[in-house]
C-alpha cells in the first residue's frame, strides 16, 4: 500500500530514479499506453521532477509539447491538477507557452514514494479542450496508484543495489585486511554486518554464516552450519541456483547476482537478493563461495502486488471495453443487445447465471438470461419490496453473500432458482434507472468486493449501449414511418428515381444546406403540373418562386427549423401561386435526409393538390350550417375519423364545445361502442350500401353514458369518391331507461307471481296435510270425551284411565303437529335466528333421552307405543357452539322420528373432528327407502310404505336441518352399518 502525505522528494531520492537503473520500460510503459488508450488522449507521461529539471520516465505519444509548470504545480500542491481548457485556467504560469505548443487540456495525479515524498506526476494531455468525466479521472487515479507501486519497487531495487555495493566494498576491505593478517577486524565486520554473509563450500555446505542470515531464515547458526544452501532454497529456484554454481566453477562467471526465494524455518518463503563471488587460490583453483544475502521480501511482494493490481485493473478495463464494443455493435437490435449483455457478463465475472431485468410499471421483468438462469422461469419482482427494487431506488450496486439469511431477499424465489449469493447493479440511462444487471451463484459467498466493482463498471458501461439501443430502435420506428419515396431513396437510387418521376403526387428535393437553403434540387412531372412551371424552371430556383408571397416568412421559418435539426418530418398546408397566377392549395409531407455526419442535407417533399377538396369542405360546412337548428346531433367527419363539423345540438347532447372537438378523432373522444353490431360490420355496410342505422353508446364530457340512435351516410365528391361520413344522432337515453325500468318491473312481477304460486301451493299442501293428520286425532278425542261425558259414572276406573290416556296421547299428537307447522312457517318467513353459545353436549343428550315429553313416546308403524332406552356415547368435556333450545328440539325430533320409523333410537353418540362436532342419532329399523333419500329433508316428505301406518306431518327432518343450518351446521343421513339409520347433526366446534 502506498502511503500518502504531503512532502517533497529529496534530490537524492529523485536522482536515484532519474539517473539510476530504473528509467523507463516495463510496467510504466504499459501503464502510459493504457492511459492513452482508455482516456483517448495523444500523450500520457510519467514525469519526475528534481530541484531544477524534469525527466519523463515513461511516455505514450510525443511529450515534447508538455511544459514544466503543470507537473510542478502537481508536485508543489501534492494534489491532482485537472484543467479542461489551459487558456482559461489561472493556476498555470506559462499558459501562453503551453497554448503555443498545442496543449489544450491537462489532467495529472501526484506520484509519491513509500515514505510519502512527492516524486512527480502521472498525467495526460489533449490538444483540444475537453470536459474530463468522473470515470476518466477515476481511471487515471487508479493508473497513477499502479505507477506508484512500480516506482516503490524500483526504489527498493536501487536501495538494495546500493546496500549490496556497500557490503561488497566492506567485504573487499575485509579481505584485504585478512590478507594483511588482521583476522579479528574481518571477523567483527563479518559478524556485525546487517547484510547476510556466508562462506559456502563447493558442495553447498555452509562453512561460516553471520547472524543476519540467521535472522532472515529463522534458523540458528548451528542449524545453518549443519546444513547447506540447497536445503534452504525454494524448490522452484533450486535448479537456477545449481546452474549458477556450475557456471561459476566452470569459469564462465566470477560473480553472480540474482533474486531467489529461501524457505524459512517456519516453512514460509522469503525473497532475497543474492550476490555470490567464487574465491580461488593462488593457482586459480576454486576454494569456496562468498555469498551476500539481502531480504527484499517486502519490496518484492509490493512489486508483485502492484503488478497484479495493474494487471487486474487492465483486464477489467479491457474486458469492459470489449463487452461494451460488442454490445454497441448489436445496439440496433435491443433484444440482441440485452442477450449479449447477459451472456458476456459471465465472461467478466465468475458467476453461474446472469439476467437483465427491465422496469415495467411496478415490477422488474426479466428481458434476457444466461448461464444457469437461461432456461429458468423468472419471477416478476416488485420494485417496491425487493433487493432489485432497492438497487433501482438507491441507484447503487448491492451484494448478497447468502440469500438464506438476508432480509432483503425473497428466500422462496431464490431457492426455486437455486441462488445462494448474488450482485445487483442498476442500469441507468441519462441518470434514470431503467433496470438491473444481476449475477448469481449457487453457493454462498461466491462474490467479493472486486466482483461488485466490476459489475458496477460493466453496468455503467453497458447503460450507454442500452441508451444507444433504445435510440436505434426509436430511429428504426421513425424509419418505418417514412414515406415510400424516402424508403425508396435509401434502398437504391434507381428505384427512388422511378418512384420519384412516376409518382402521381408532386415531389421535390429541396436543399437544407446553409449556402443554398430552399433551392429546388429536383422535381417531378406532377410537381410541374401543380405549379404550372416546367421542371427546368423549377430546378435551381428558390421555393419562393411558386409559394404564395404572403407565406414566404412562414416558409423561411420552416426551412430554418429543418436546417437546424429541430424536426425531421413535417406536414403542412400551404398556398402555391400557379404560373398563370391563380391560387392552388396543397398539403405537403416532408422528411429530412441527413448526410453521413448527421447534418440535414435536403428535404424530400410530397405535394398533393387539395384545392378541390377544400372547396368541397367549404361547401359542406355551408350546408351543415343549415342543420344548426335541428334537435339531433349532426356530425361530419373525414374518412380518418377526424371531426369536420359539430352542430349546436351535438354540443348539448355530448357536452363538448365545437372548437375543442374539431380535428379530433370522433370514436376516441366519445368511446364509441356499437349496440348489437361491431365496427367491422358497420364499416362494411357503409362501404357497400353507403348507409347504416343503429344504436350506439357514447361518453359525454362529464363521463356519463348516452345512448343514441345513429343514422350514418357516406358523402362522395363529384367523381363518386367517398371523402366524409355524415352522422345524425338522436338521444334515446331516456326512452331506453324507461324501457329498462318497465322490463325490470315486469321481471319483479314475475318473481312475485312465482312466490304467490309457491305460497298457494304451500297453503294447499298444508291444508291437505292438516285435514289428514288432524282429523283422526281430533275425531278420537271427540269420541272419547263424548263417551266419558255420557258414561263416566258407570265406567270402571281402568277404562276411565285408558280413555283419558288416549285423549292425552291424541292431544299431544295434535300439539306436536301444531309446533312443527309453526316452526315451518317461521323458517319460510325467514324469521328464524340463532344465538349460539358454548355448551357441554352430554347433559343435553341425557336430558332428551330421560325426557317425559310425550313427543318422544310416539306410536310405531304397528300402532303400539314404544320407548327404547338409547345408549349415550359422548365425552364429558365435549363442547359445541349452538343455541341450547335448538339442540334440544333437534334431538327430540330425531328421537321421535326414530320411534316412528325405526323402533326407537338405540344410540346417541357425539364426537369431535378437526373441523366440527358430530352428533349421531341411530336406530336399528329398516332404514330410509332409496326413492325417498333425495327428498328426505324437504317439506311434507313421507315414504309411501309408511304414510298410512305412521302418523306424521313430514316436517320433522326439514325443521331439524334448518335449525342446524341456523346454527352454522347441517344435517344429513347415513345408512347404519349392519342396518338401520344414522341421522348426523354437524355443529361448529367451540374452540
Amino acid at each position: 500500500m502506498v502511503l500518502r502525505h504531503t512532502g517533497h522528494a529529496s534530490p537524492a531520492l529523485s536522482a536515484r530514479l532519474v539517473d539510476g537503473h530504473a528509467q523507463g520500460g516495463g510496467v510504466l510503459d504499459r501503464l502510459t499506453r493504457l492511459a492513452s488508450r482508455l482516456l483517448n488522449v495523444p500523450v500520457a507521461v510519467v514525469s519526475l521532477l528534481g530541484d531544477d529539471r524534469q525527466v519523463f520516465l515513461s511516455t505514450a505519444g510525443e511529450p515534447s509539447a508538455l511544459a514544466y509548470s503543470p507537473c510542478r504545480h502537481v508536485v508543489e500542491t501534492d494534489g491532482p491538477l485537472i484543467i479542461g481548457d489551459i487558456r482559461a485556467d489561472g493556476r498555470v504560469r506559462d499558459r501562453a507557452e503551453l497554448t503555443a505548443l498545442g496543449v489544450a487540456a491537462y489532467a495529472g495525479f501526484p506520484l509519491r514514494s513509500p515514505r510519502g515524498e512527492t516524486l512527480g506526476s502521472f498525467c495526460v494531455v489533449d490538444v483540444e479542450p475537453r470536459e474530463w468525466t468522473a470515470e476518466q479521472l477515476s481511471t487515471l487515479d487508479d493508473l497513477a496508484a499502479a505507477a506508484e507501486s512500480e516506482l516503490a519497487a524500483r526504489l527498493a531495487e536501487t536501495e538494495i543495489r546500493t546496500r549490496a555495493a556497500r557490503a561488497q566494498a566492506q567485504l573487499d576491505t575485509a579481505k584485504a585486511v585478512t590478507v594483511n593478517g588482521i583476522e579479528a577486524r574481518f571477523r567483527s565486520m563479518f559478524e556485525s554486518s546487517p547484510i547476510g554473509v556466508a562462506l559456502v563450500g563447493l558442495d553447498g555446505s555452509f562453512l561460516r554464516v553471520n547472524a543476519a542470515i540467521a535472522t532472515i531464515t529463522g534458523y540458528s547458526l548451528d542449524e545453518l552450519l549443519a546444513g547447506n544452501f540447497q536445503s534452504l532454497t525454494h524448490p522452484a529456484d533450486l535448479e537456477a541456483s545449481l546452474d549458477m554454481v556450475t557456471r561459476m566453477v566452470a569459469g564462465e562467471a566470477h560473480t553472480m547476482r540474482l533474486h531467489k526465494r529461501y524457505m524459512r524455518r517456519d516453512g514460509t518463503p522469503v525473497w532475497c537478493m543474492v550476490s555470490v563471488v567464487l574465491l580461488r587460490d593462488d593457482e586459480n583453483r576454486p576454494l569456496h563461495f562468498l555469498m551476500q544475502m539481502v531480504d527484499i521480501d517486502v519490496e518484492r511482494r509490493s512489486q508483485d502486488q502492484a503488478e497484479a493490481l495493474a494487471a487486474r485493473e487492465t483486464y477489467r478495463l479491457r474486458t469492459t471495453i470489449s463487452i461494451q464494443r460488442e454490445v454497441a455493435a448489436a445496439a440496433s437490435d435491443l433484444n440482441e443487445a440485452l442477450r449479449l449483455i447477459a451472456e458476456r457478463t459471465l465472461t467478466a465475472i465468475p458467476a453461474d447465471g446472469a439476467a437483465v431485468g427491465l422496469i415495467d410499471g411496478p415490477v422488474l421483468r426479466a428481458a434476457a438470461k444466461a448461464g444457469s438462469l437461461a432456461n429458468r422461469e423468472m419471477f416478476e419482482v416488485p420494485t417496491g419490496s425487493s433487493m432489485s427494487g432497492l438497487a433501482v431506488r438507491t441507484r447503487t450496486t448491492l451484494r448478497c453473500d447468502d440469500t438464506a439469511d438476508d432480509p432483503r431477499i425473497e428466500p422462496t424465489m431464490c431457492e426455486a432458482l437455486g441462488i445462494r449469493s448474488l450482485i445487483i447493479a442498476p442500469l441507468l440511462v441519462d441518470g434514470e434507472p431503467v433496470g438491473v444487471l444481476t449475477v448469481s451463484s449457487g453457493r454462498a459467498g461466491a462474490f467479493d468486493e472486486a466482483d461488485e466493482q466490476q459489475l458496477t463498471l460493466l453496468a455503467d458501461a453497458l447503460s450507454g449501449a442500452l441508451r444507444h439501443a433504445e435510440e436505434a430502435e426509436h430511429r428504426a420506428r421513425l424509419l418505418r414511418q417514412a414515406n415510400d419515396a424516402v424508403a425508396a431513396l435509401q434502398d437504391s437510387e434507381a428505384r427512388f428515381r422511378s418512384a420519384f418521376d412516376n409518382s402521381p403526387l408532386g415531389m421535390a428535393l429541396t436543399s437544407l444546406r446553409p449556402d443554398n437553403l430552399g433551392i429546388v434540387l429536383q422535381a417531378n412531372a406532377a410537381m410541374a403540373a401543380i405549379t404550372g412551371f416546367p421542371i427546368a424552371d423549377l430546378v435551381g430556383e428558390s421555393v419562393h418562386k411558386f409559394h404564395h408571397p404572403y407565406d414566404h416568412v412562414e416558409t423561411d421559418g420552416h426551412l430554418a427549423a429543418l436546417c437546424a435539426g429541430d424536426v425531421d418530418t413535417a406536414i403542412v398546408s400551404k398556398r402555391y401561386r400557379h404560373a398563370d397566377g391563380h391560387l392552388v392549395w396543397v398539403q405537403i409531407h416532408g422528411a429530412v435526409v441527413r448526410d453521413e455526419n448527421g447534418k440535414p442535407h435536403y428535404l424530400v417533399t410530397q405535394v398533393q393538390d387539395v384545392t378541390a377538396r377544400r372547396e368541397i369542405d367549404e361547401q359542406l360546412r355551408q350546408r351543415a350550417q343549415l342543420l344548426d337548428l335541428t334537435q339531433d346531433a349532426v356530425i361530419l367527419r373525414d374518412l380518418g375519423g377526424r371531426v369536420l363539423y359539430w352542430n349546436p345540438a351535438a354540443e348539448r347532447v355530448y357536452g363538448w364545445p365545437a372548437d375543442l372537438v374539431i380535428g379530433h378523432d370522433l370514436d376516441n373522444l366519445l368511446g364509441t361502442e356499437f349496440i348489437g353490431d361491431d365496427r367491422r360490420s358497420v364499416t362494411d355496410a357503409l362501404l357497400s350500401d353507403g348507409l347504416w342505422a343503429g344504436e350506439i353508446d357514447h361518453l359525454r364530457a362529464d363521463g356519463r353514458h348516452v345512448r343514441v340512435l345513429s343514422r350514418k351516410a357516406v358523402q362522395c365528391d363529384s367523381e363518386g369518391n367517398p371523402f366524409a361520413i355524415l352522422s345524425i344522432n338522436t338521444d334515446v337515453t331516456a326512452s331506453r331507461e324507461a324501457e329498462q325500468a318497465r322490463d325490470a318491473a315486469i321481471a319483479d312481477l314475475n318473481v312475485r307471481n312465482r312466490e304467490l304460486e309457491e305460497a298457494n301451493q304451500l297453503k294447499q299442501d298444508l291444508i291437505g296435510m292438516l285435514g289428514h293428520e288432524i282429523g283422526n286425532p281430533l275425531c278420537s278425542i271427540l269420541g272419547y270425551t263424548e263417551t266419558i261425558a255420557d258414561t263416566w259414572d258407570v265406567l270402571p276406573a281402568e277404562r276411565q284411565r285408558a280413555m283419558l290416556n288416549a285423549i292425552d296421547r291424541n292431544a299431544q299428537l295434535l300439539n306436536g303437529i301444531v309446533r312443527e307447522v309453526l316452526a315451518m312457517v317461521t323458517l319460510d318467513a325467514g324469521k328464524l335466528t340463532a344465538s349460539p353459545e358454548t355448551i357441554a353436549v352430554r347433559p343435553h343428550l341425557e336430558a332428551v333421552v330421560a325426557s317425559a315429553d310425550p313427543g318422544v313416546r310416539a306410536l310405531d308403524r304397528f300402532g303400539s307405543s314404544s320407548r327404547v332406552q338409547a345408549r349415550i356415547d359422548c365425552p364429558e368435556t365435549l363442547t359445541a357452539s349452538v343455541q341450547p333450545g335448538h339442540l334440544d328440539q333437534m334431538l327430540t325430533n330425531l328421537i321421535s322420528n326414530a320411534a316412528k320409523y325405526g323402533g326407537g333410537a338405540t344410540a346417541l353418540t357425539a364426537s369431535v373432528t378437526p373441523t366440527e362436532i358430530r352428533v349421531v342419532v341411530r336406530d336399528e329399523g329398516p332404514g330410509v327407502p332409496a326413492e325417498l333419500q333425495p327428498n328426505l329433508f324437504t317439506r311434507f316428505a313421507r315414504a309411501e310404505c309408511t304414510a298410512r301406518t305412521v302418523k306424521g306431518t313430514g316436517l320433522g327432518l326439514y325443521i331439524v336441518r334448518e335449525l342446524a343450518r341456523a346454527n352454522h351446521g347441517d344435517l344429513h343421513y347415513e345408512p347404519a352399518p349392519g342396518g338401520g339409520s344414522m341421522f348426523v347433526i354437524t355443529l361448529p366446534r367451540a374452540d
Side-chain angles (χ1 to χ4, degrees):
M1 179 176 180
V2 178
L3 300 176
R4 295 179 179 268
H5 67 79
T6 301
H8 300 297
S10 66
L13 184 60
S14 298
R16 287 202 298 273
L17 285 171
V18 171
D19 300 328
H21 174 73
Q23 290 207 13
V27 174
L28 292 180
D29 286 349
R30 293 199 297 272
L31 294 176
T32 52
R33 289 196 299 271
L34 186 60
S36 175
R37 185 165 60 254
L38 294 180
L39 275 65
N40 193 24
V41 294
V43 177
V45 177
V46 174
S47 171
L48 295 186
L49 278 79
D51 289 340
D52 57 354
R53 61 174 174 163
Q54 176 182 21
V55 175
F56 300 143
L57 276 189
S58 176
T59 65
E62 179 54 53
S64 58
L66 181 61
Y68 185 62
S69 63
C71 295
R72 170 58 63 186
H73 186 279
V74 173
V75 172
E76 289 177 349
T77 61
D78 190 39
L81 177 62
I82 312 301
I83 301 175
D85 189 347
I86 290 287
R87 297 168 299 180
D89 199 293
R91 294 175 291 179
V92 180
R93 292 192 292 271
D94 49 357
R95 286 181 291 169
E97 179 184 351
L98 288 168
T99 304
L101 292 173
V103 178
Y106 174 93
F109 285 80
L111 297 174
R112 303 179 181 87
S113 71
R115 293 192 296 273
E117 301 165 324
T118 307
L119 305 174
S121 70
F122 191 108
C123 61
V124 293
V125 175
D126 203 343
V127 296
E128 296 288 342
R130 67 186 291 172
E131 290 293 332
W132 303 98
T133 67
E135 181 180 356
Q136 291 171 337
L137 295 178
S138 177
T139 300
L140 185 59
D141 191 17
D142 292 341
L143 295 174
E148 282 184 348
S149 299
E150 173 63 14
L151 291 179
R154 294 188 177 195
L155 282 172
E157 184 176 355
T158 301
E159 181 67 22
I160 291 170
R161 291 178 181 277
T162 302
R163 290 166 60 189
R166 187 181 301 115
Q168 183 63 46
Q170 291 173 350
L171 285 176
D172 291 343
T173 301
K175 181 177 180 181
V177 171
T178 303
V179 171
N180 292 328
I182 310 178
E183 177 67 23
R185 293 180 59 188
F186 169 75
R187 181 182 299 110
S188 175
M189 292 176 60
F190 182 92
E191 293 176 352
S192 62
S193 173
I195 298 175
V197 182
L199 291 179
V200 182
L202 297 179
D203 61 353
S205 60
F206 288 111
L207 305 178
R208 190 170 185 176
V209 295
N210 71 347
I213 291 183
T215 300
I216 293 172
T217 63
Y219 289 95
S220 66
L221 294 177
D222 292 339
E223 289 174 328
L224 290 171
L225 292 173
N228 53 40
F229 86 88
Q230 294 95 321
S231 63
L232 296 182
T233 301
H234 192 283
D237 297 338
L238 182 59
E239 183 176 352
S241 299
L242 294 176
D243 180 66
M244 179 191 71
V245 170
T246 302
R247 291 174 57 199
M248 294 182 69
V249 171
E252 298 178 9
H254 174 63
T255 62
M256 297 290 285
R257 181 177 286 111
L258 77 162
H259 289 186
K260 62 178 290 186
R261 286 165 291 181
Y262 286 100
M263 299 301 297
R264 289 193 178 98
R265 196 175 192 279
D266 60 6
T268 60
V270 56
W271 277 99
C272 297
M273 185 178 72
V274 180
S275 298
V276 181
V277 177
L278 177 60
L279 303 180
R280 297 176 180 269
D281 59 15
D282 295 338
E283 297 180 0
N284 202 33
R285 289 176 298 187
L287 291 177
H288 45 255
F289 297 100
L290 176 62
M291 182 180 71
Q292 296 176 336
M293 180 191 303
V294 179
D295 184 350
I296 61 170
D297 192 64
V298 174
E299 293 86 348
R300 182 59 181 256
R301 293 185 186 276
S302 176
Q303 180 180 356
D304 291 345
Q305 291 173 357
E307 291 179 352
L309 175 62
R312 181 170 183 174
E313 292 298 324
T314 300
Y315 172 77
R316 287 173 56 185
L317 291 172
R318 287 177 176 172
T319 302
T320 300
I321 292 172
S322 173
I323 296 174
Q324 186 180 25
R325 287 175 176 171
E326 188 174 351
V327 173
S332 59
D333 185 340
L334 181 59
N335 291 331
E336 177 65 13
L338 293 172
R339 183 189 66 80
L340 277 176
I341 289 174
E343 291 182 352
R344 298 291 284 123
T345 296
L346 294 181
T347 66
I349 297 178
D352 298 341
V356 179
L358 298 182
I359 297 176
D360 185 4
V363 300
L364 279 160
R365 184 170 287 109
K369 300 170 288 184
S372 62
L373 301 179
N375 298 319
R376 304 301 296 270
E377 182 66 26
M378 300 292 284
F379 300 90
E380 292 181 359
V381 179
T383 55
S385 59
S386 63
M387 185 171 173
S388 298
L390 182 61
V392 168
R393 295 194 302 277
T394 60
R395 293 173 171 82
T396 56
T397 300
L398 303 176
R399 186 175 91 233
C400 171
D401 294 326
D402 193 345
T403 59
D405 55 13
D406 194 322
R408 301 171 298 176
I409 295 296
E410 171 53 49
T412 303
M413 181 179 70
C414 290
E415 183 178 357
L417 296 175
I419 297 175
R420 283 296 303 276
S421 58
L422 53 83
I423 311 175
I424 304 172
L427 294 172
L428 306 175
V429 174
D430 296 330
E432 292 300 320
V434 298
V436 294
L437 175 60
T438 303
V439 293
S440 64
S441 175
R443 60 185 180 86
F447 306 111
D448 57 17
E449 185 176 352
D451 298 322
E452 186 177 345
Q453 295 174 355
Q454 175 71 0
L455 189 66
T456 302
L457 184 63
L458 267 176
D460 291 344
L462 296 176
S463 294
L466 278 179
R467 179 173 60 250
H468 179 54
E470 290 182 347
E471 291 174 353
E473 187 173 351
H474 178 65
R475 288 195 297 270
R477 288 196 298 268
L478 291 179
L479 184 61
R480 289 192 296 269
Q481 296 170 1
N483 54 54
D484 294 339
V486 175
L489 178 62
Q490 294 175 341
D491 190 19
S492 73
E493 181 64 25
R495 291 175 58 190
F496 169 74
R497 185 175 301 277
S498 175
F500 186 91
D501 293 340
N502 300 316
S503 174
L505 299 176
M507 295 192 67
L509 305 184
T510 305
S511 174
L512 293 178
R513 296 291 188 187
D515 53 350
N516 61 346
L517 182 64
I519 300 300
V520 178
L521 304 176
Q522 191 174 342
N524 69 348
M527 188 68 178
I530 292 172
T531 62
F533 293 99
I535 294 176
D537 291 348
L538 292 174
V539 175
E541 295 290 337
S542 172
V543 293
H544 289 173
K545 182 179 182 69
F546 49 87
H547 282 212
H548 196 282
Y550 292 166
D551 294 343
H552 285 179
V553 174
E554 182 183 7
T555 297
D556 292 341
H558 288 158
L559 290 174
L562 294 170
C563 184
D566 295 339
V567 292
D568 284 335
T569 61
I571 301 175
V572 295
S573 295
K574 298 189 72 67
R575 292 173 292 181
Y576 281 178
R577 185 179 59 185
H578 196 270
D580 61 11
H582 76 268
L583 186 66
V584 179
W585 279 97
V586 296
Q587 188 173 39
I588 302 174
H589 295 254
V592 176
V593 177
R594 301 179 181 274
D595 60 17
E596 61 276 6
N597 297 320
K599 295 182 178 180
H601 189 193
Y602 56 84
L603 178 69
V604 179
T605 56
Q606 290 180 324
V607 181
Q608 184 179 8
D609 185 349
V610 295
T611 306
R613 180 179 298 179
R614 288 181 67 90
E615 293 175 353
I616 294 173
D617 290 345
E618 183 61 29
Q619 293 174 7
L620 287 173
R621 290 190 186 94
Q622 293 175 1
R623 294 174 185 173
Q625 290 175 0
L626 299 176
L627 301 173
D628 285 350
L629 299 178
T630 182
Q631 296 303 308
D632 292 334
V634 179
I635 304 169
L636 184 69
R637 63 180 179 88
D638 62 18
L639 298 182
R642 291 186 296 274
V643 177
L644 303 175
Y645 175 74
W646 184 269
N647 76 334
E651 294 183 354
R652 292 192 300 272
V653 171
Y654 295 110
W656 289 102
D659 56 347
L660 293 180
V661 174
I662 300 299
H664 284 274
D665 185 278
L666 179 66
D667 290 339
N668 287 340
L669 179 69
L670 301 182
T672 300
E673 291 186 7
F674 294 98
I675 306 302
D677 235 331
D678 56 33
R679 191 178 303 277
R680 179 177 294 277
S681 62
V682 172
T683 302
D684 292 343
L686 287 172
L687 291 176
S688 61
D689 304 331
L691 297 171
W692 179 85
E695 291 189 359
I696 300 176
D697 263 346
H698 280 154
L699 280 176
R700 285 174 44 86
D702 59 9
R704 291 189 293 113
H705 285 271
V706 60
R707 177 72 61 85
V708 297
L709 175 62
S710 181
R711 283 86 65 192
K712 298 182 182 293
V714 177
Q715 305 298 298
C716 299
D717 58 20
S718 58
E719 298 179 358
N721 298 317
F723 65 88
I725 296 176
L726 179 68
S727 298
I728 301 176
N729 297 341
T730 303
D731 186 355
V732 296
T733 306
S735 61
R736 295 298 179 266
E737 289 177 350
E739 291 174 359
Q740 292 175 358
R742 180 200 63 196
D743 295 341
I746 292 173
D748 184 63
L749 182 60
N750 291 334
V751 172
R752 298 301 180 190
N753 287 337
R754 284 195 300 272
E755 291 177 351
L756 289 174
E757 291 174 358
E758 292 176 357
N760 185 57
Q761 182 62 43
L762 175 60
K763 179 189 70 175
Q764 293 177 1
D765 292 342
L766 186 59
I767 291 173
M769 182 274 296
L770 291 177
H772 175 73
E773 297 296 335
I774 294 178
N776 291 336
L778 187 58
C779 290
S780 178
I781 291 173
L782 292 175
Y784 282 123
T785 55
E786 183 179 352
T787 302
I788 288 174
D790 294 339
T791 63
W792 177 261
D793 294 334
V794 299
L795 289 174
E798 291 181 1
R799 183 59 178 166
Q800 291 175 348
R801 283 195 298 272
M803 295 177 70
L804 289 175
N805 287 338
I807 292 173
D808 176 65
R809 184 170 59 253
N810 284 283
Q812 293 296 338
L813 181 60
L814 288 175
N815 183 51
I817 292 172
V818 171
R819 283 190 300 174
E820 289 184 345
V821 170
L822 290 176
M824 180 204 69
V825 172
T826 301
L827 291 173
D828 287 348
K831 296 179 180 180
L832 178 64
T833 59
S835 300
E837 302 175 10
T838 299
I839 64 168
V841 176
R842 185 177 182 91
H844 288 267
L845 299 182
E846 293 173 344
V848 170
V849 170
S851 171
D853 187 345
V856 177
R857 302 189 302 275
L859 292 178
D860 61 19
R861 68 180 65 186
F862 307 108
S864 61
S865 176
S866 62
R867 179 181 177 90
V868 178
Q869 184 64 35
R871 175 177 55 86
I872 296 177
D873 183 5
C874 175
E876 295 287 347
T877 59
L878 182 64
T879 59
S881 177
V882 63
Q883 184 170 321
H886 287 176
L887 178 60
D888 293 340
Q889 186 175 352
M890 287 187 283
L891 293 172
T892 298
N893 281 13
L894 291 179
I895 292 175
S896 175
N897 188 73
K900 292 177 184 179
Y901 302 103
T906 60
L908 274 71
T909 62
S911 60
V912 62
T913 72
T915 58
E916 60 191 9
I917 301 296
R918 282 171 51 97
V919 179
V920 181
V921 177
R922 178 172 180 171
D923 64 54
E924 296 180 356
V928 177
E931 65 273 10
L932 179 60
Q933 290 181 15
N935 301 312
L936 182 60
F937 300 106
T938 59
R939 292 176 303 201
F940 310 121
R942 301 289 302 278
E944 293 184 0
C945 60
T946 60
R948 298 188 180 186
T949 59
V950 179
K951 302 297 182 180
T953 63
L955 294 175
L957 295 180
Y958 166 73
I959 292 171
V960 173
R961 187 186 66 174
E962 296 306 313
L963 286 172
R965 289 181 176 178
N967 286 272
H968 308 294
D970 209 341
L971 173 70
H972 66 272
Y973 164 77
E974 296 177 6
S981 299
M982 293 195 305
F983 287 90
V984 182
I985 303 172
T986 58
L987 295 171
R989 294 179 57 172
D991 297 340

